[in-house]
């Protein structure tokens, strides 16, 4: 029978509940258990697809096209659990299902209420992941205990233990134990209050994971245990990490969390083997190189907006024994201050995805800089579209070239709406979403990186490269090296004669893992290291100006 772990959070938000849930999943997998991961988000949007990154950070896209919470990115990076749209439910989606059923007449005669109708819908969402071949489902409840909007979820998980037996359910609560400098001690009261609130709802946590800045002393551990009604060994310390989020699972192992879970849920598990993970950490902690990548986007103060890109760059660095320093650069600043000042120290430039006109001209400027100075460039989605606009304007001399997303009346719509999007009115869940195949041109940089011709990558866009301009672009050096299998949609463009200039319509960042870096990120970072090496050798000779075919390419080693 499938067992269930529910992860809740208390005291404050942003404690890293997603990372902790993902780490638990990773540890259980390393004990030979088959795990599934799920997240509930208490907001009323049906999914995060229509939210601004300011509200929500990155929207993480799955193979099946679901637009989900960024915690699902952690789940995918830490575990092998397959993720589908059933792995992320919001209050909006639950209510939508309930109201649709009500209109259909499924509850005929009844008054439809939060309990039992909404809680039943939540419980059936949890049950969707239970199966004969699944040992443990880990369900994270978004938000903080005490939030009004989270109550139906907490009520549902309380009932769940009654439905399937408490012996099959484990409640793990993540809290904060702040250290007060003035008092010279760690404070347990916020944790007591947050657990008190959970107990009022009827949930007695089995395990407490305490985020702390400093080691948790025996005295504090015992106090928390006594006041919160858990065993002292079930008070687990999770200290702030020095180097990397990939330290979290190992620090939980040091606190014997895996053993405790296996024992409490009576799981048949193998001994823990985390040697691969330890090697990974060793590589993270002892890099041989350091490389600086500029991410030029419009959310320069919001790391979460480009979460998976940061992670994918880190993974590439791990593979190449390099610490990747990411400099987030505001694209509007590039216009205000000029590219030279902001971009000249970089080893590589990445322009990520995005929507809306703000900051577009700065992205185009940054790409022009990368193209003409021979700086390794990686464009992703909107980044690829901007690279096409830049090339059309500055190399093909098509004045006013633009995307119809930003200028409907442009004389040269080098980026235009996908045909299938022309009749789409609604904004929610209607983009070209999820995994689609792509065929790579033999010998291209992309082909060399992936090592195969057929790939599948995840998408989230409405616009595409306008095929009417494809041959003109190619004639001057911007070549489509990846296409949809029917040849109609450009998925990858590369600039001939440039050391490394690759731009893709899809989002490769969603498929990178610390133990399996994405090939394009790896080769981009390799090219950046190569440029750094060349510059060290001849600081003055900054790999000359590059434009289309005009300059010889600097050879880049690929693996
Ligand atoms: N706004 C562009 C489009 O819709 C790019 C989207 C993206 O970068 N994810 O096609």
């Amino acid at each position: 029978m499938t067992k269930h772990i529910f992860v809740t959070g208390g005291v404050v938000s942003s404690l890293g509940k997603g990372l902790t849930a993902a780490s638990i999943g990773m540890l259980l997998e390393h004990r030979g258990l088959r795990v599934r991961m799920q997240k509930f988000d208490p907001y009323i949007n049906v999914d995060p697809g229509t939210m601004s990154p300011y509200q929500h950070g990155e929207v993480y896209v799955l193979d099946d096209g679901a637009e989900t919470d960024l915690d699902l990115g952690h789940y995918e990076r830490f575990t092998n659990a397959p993720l589908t749209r059933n792995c992320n439910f919001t209050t909006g989606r639950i209510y939508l299902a309930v109201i649709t059923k009500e209109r259909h007449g499924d509850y005929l005669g009844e008054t439809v209420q939060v309990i039992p109708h909404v809680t039943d819908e939540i419980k059936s969402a949890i049950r969707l992941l239970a199966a004969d071949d699944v040992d443990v489902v880990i369900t994270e409840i978004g938000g903080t205990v005490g939030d009004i909007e989270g109550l139906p979820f907490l009520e549902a998980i309380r009932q769940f233990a009654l439905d399937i037996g408490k012996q099959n359910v484990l409640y793990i609560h993540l809290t904060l134990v702040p250290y007060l400098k003035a008092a010279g001690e760690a404070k347990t009261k916020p944790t007591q209050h947050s657990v008190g609130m959970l107990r009022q709802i009827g949930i007695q946590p089995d395990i407490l994971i305490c985020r702390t800045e400093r080691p948790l002393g025996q005295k504090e551990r015992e106090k928390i245990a006594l006041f919160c009604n858990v065993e002292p060994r079930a008070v687990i310390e999770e200290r702030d990490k020095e180097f990397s989020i990939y330290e979290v699972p190992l620090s939980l192992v040091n606190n014997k969390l895996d053993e405790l879970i296996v024992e409490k849920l009576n799981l048949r598990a193998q001994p823990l083997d985390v040697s691969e993970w330890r090697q990974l950490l060793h590589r993270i902690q002892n890099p041989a190189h350091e490389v600086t990548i500029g991410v030029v986007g419009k959310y320069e103060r919001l790391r979460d907006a480009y979460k998976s890109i940061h992670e994918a760059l880190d993974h590439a660095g791990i593979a190449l024994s390099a610490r990747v320093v990411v400099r987030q650069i505001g694209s509007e600043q590039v216009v205000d201050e000029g590219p030279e000042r902001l971009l000249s120290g970089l080893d590589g430039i990445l322009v990520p995805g995005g929507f809306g006109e703000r900051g577009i001209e700065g992205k185009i400027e940054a790409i022009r800089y990368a193209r003409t100075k021979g700086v390794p460039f990686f464009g992703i989605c909107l980044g690829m579209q901007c690279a096409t606009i830049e090339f059309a304007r500055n190399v093909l001399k098509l004045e006013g070239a633009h995307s119809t997303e930003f200028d409907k009346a442009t004389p040269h719509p080098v980026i235009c709406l996908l045909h299938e999007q022309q009749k789409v009115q609604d904004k929610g869940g209607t983009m070209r979403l999820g995994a689609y195949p792509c065929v790579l041109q033999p010998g291209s940089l992309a082909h060399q990186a992936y090592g195969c011709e057929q790939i599948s990558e995840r998408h989230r866009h409405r616009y595409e490269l306008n095929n009417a301009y494809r041959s003109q672009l190619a004639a001057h050096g911007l070549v489509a090296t990846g296409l949809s299998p029917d040849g109609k949609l450009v998925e990858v463009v590369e600039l001939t004669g440039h050391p490394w200039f690759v731009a893709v319509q899809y989002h490769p960042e969603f498929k990178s893992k610390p133990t399996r870096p994405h090939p394009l990120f790896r080769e981009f970072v390799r090219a950046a290291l190569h440029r750094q090496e060349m510059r060290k050798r001849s600081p003055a000779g900054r790999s000359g100006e590059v434009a289309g075919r005009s300059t010889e390419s600097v050879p880049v080693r690929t693996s």
Side-chain angles (χ1 to χ4, degrees), residues 291-297 309 313 324-331 334 338-353 359-384 386-387 390 493 495 498-504 520-521 523-532 535 542:
V291 68
T292 307
I293 302 292
V295 173
V296 183
I309 286 179
L313 286 169
V324 180
V325 177
V326 178
R327 213 179 288 159
Q328 294 213 151
I329 295 161
S331 44
V334 177
E340 187 69 36
R341 214 179 87 75
L342 291 168
L343 309 176
S344 61
L346 301 172
D347 301 311
I349 293 175
L350 188 153
V351 176
I360 288 295
E361 293 305 322
K363 291 177 191 175
I364 292 171
E365 268 298 292
I367 295 167
R368 180 185 186 148
Y369 182 89
R371 177 177 61 78
T372 56
K373 303 281 182 195
V375 183
F377 169 74
F378 193 9
I380 293 178
C381 207
L382 182 62
M384 178 262 207
C386 288
E390 189 280 318
V493 293
L495 183 63
H498 185 286
W500 206 91
F501 189 108
V502 178
V504 296
L520 286 181
F521 277 90
E523 293 314 310
F524 170 56
V525 171
R526 195 196 302 280
L529 279 164
H530 184 74
R531 173 180 163 83
Q532 187 191 67
R535 288 214 299 180
R542 296 182 171 179

Side-chain angles (χ1 to χ4, degrees), residues 34-109:
R34 296 158 302 176
V35 171
R36 295 291 179 274
M37 307 286 306
Q38 184 179 47
K39 167 128 198 235
F40 286 129
D41 281 304
Y43 52 76
I44 296 174
N45 305 57
V46 172
D47 62 41
T50 54
M51 269 188 248
S52 148
Y54 284 121
Q55 296 288 313
H56 193 267
E58 153 189 286
V59 174
Y60 189 80
V61 182
L62 305 181
D63 272 343
D64 69 2
E67 296 174 279
T68 72
D69 184 73
L70 55 76
D71 277 337
L72 275 82
H74 291 311
Y75 302 167
E76 241 186 350
R77 290 185 280 269
F78 278 71
T79 76
N80 296 310
L83 295 185
T84 68
R85 59 180 67 253
N86 289 338
C87 300
N88 194 194
F89 281 86
T90 67
T91 293
R93 187 162 160 210
I94 297 286
Y95 269 82
L96 187 62
V98 170
I99 292 169
T100 306
K101 283 184 186 168
E102 188 274 334
R103 291 289 82 183
H104 187 245
D106 292 4
Y107 308 118
L108 229 44

Side-chain angles (χ1 to χ4, degrees), residues 353-355 380-382 385 405 460-463 507:
F355 298 84
I380 293 178
C381 207
L382 182 62
Q385 299 174 356
E405 181 179 0
R460 183 170 187 251
H461 65 121
R462 290 189 204 281
Y463 293 81
H507 288 273

Side-chain angles (χ1 to χ4, degrees), residues 185-238:
E185 59 179 10
K187 289 293 177 191
T188 65
K189 192 69 82 189
T191 297
Q192 295 174 36
H193 278 302
S194 138
V195 172
M197 237 179 304
L198 260 186
R199 290 169 72 189
Q200 266 175 24
I201 299 162
I203 296 173
Q204 167 62 56
D206 300 289
I207 297 174
L208 295 176
I209 301 182
C210 303
R211 285 295 309 273
T212 62
E213 246 176 89
R214 306 193 176 203
L216 208 59
Q218 190 58 23
K219 201 178 88 210
E220 285 117 22
R221 207 179 281 256
E222 278 167 14
K223 190 168 173 188
I224 293 171
L226 182 66
F227 280 83
C228 299
N229 195 31
V230 297
E231 299 172 74
R233 69 182 179 127
V235 178
I236 305 284
E237 167 197 299
E238 193 191 310

